Amino acid sequence: MSHAKTSYVCLPCRASYKQRCTGDHDRVCPRCTQPLIHVGSAFATPRRRDTDAWRTLSVLLHAGIRFHKSCCGGPGYRPRTMSEVRERMAYARNTGESFARALVRRSLP
């Protein structure tokens, strides 16, 4: 039985690589040799020229949010624009909710 592939991202290069998940060894970008970030198997790569999407992705990854499949299919809600991220940051600041939790809320009350 073959292993499923999962996505790894290099933020400086704006590149994504699908590789087999065969253990806990560190992977490096073939372009810049920086460490790759494991983002999960339900990740959809934004276009390289879409700087807003890559900036949003960077915020999500630095907050510890990944794109792993859940029992119902996808990874759940993830903000797609910086305006959604800023809106959720303000909500987290005002309510005291953790930043990562506010980012994955489908809607804000």
Side-chain angles (χ1 to χ4, degrees):
M1 178 183 219
S2 65
H3 293 280
K5 291 188 176 184
T6 187
S7 293
Y8 293 85
V9 168
C10 177
L11 292 174
C13 294
R14 295 184 188 168
S16 173
Y17 303 96
K18 287 259 187 189
Q19 298 179 356
R20 285 195 170 90
C21 191
T22 57
D24 261 356
H25 68 281
D26 294 332
R27 298 166 195 262
V28 294
C29 177
R31 292 181 182 183
C32 69
T33 67
Q34 293 291 318
L36 292 174
I37 301 170
H38 182 219
V39 292
S41 58
F43 177 69
T45 309
R47 294 190 183 270
R48 187 169 281 135
R49 286 180 252 138
D50 191 352
T51 56
D52 190 43
W54 281 96
R55 192 175 307 132
T56 302
L57 176 63
S58 176
V59 170
L60 291 171
L61 295 178
H62 284 74
I65 297 169
R66 300 297 187 259
F67 298 82
H68 298 288
K69 291 181 182 176
S70 67
C71 64
C72 300
Y77 175 78
R78 302 291 186 262
R80 292 185 173 262
T81 63
M82 282 306 292
S83 63
E84 290 177 357
V85 168
R86 282 190 290 274
E87 184 179 296
R88 281 161 170 65
M89 286 173 69
Y91 174 78
R93 209 174 307 119
N94 293 336
T95 62
E97 185 173 38
S98 74
F99 182 53
R101 178 130 174 118
L103 282 172
V104 297
R105 281 183 165 273
R106 182 159 296 281
S107 62
L108 297 177

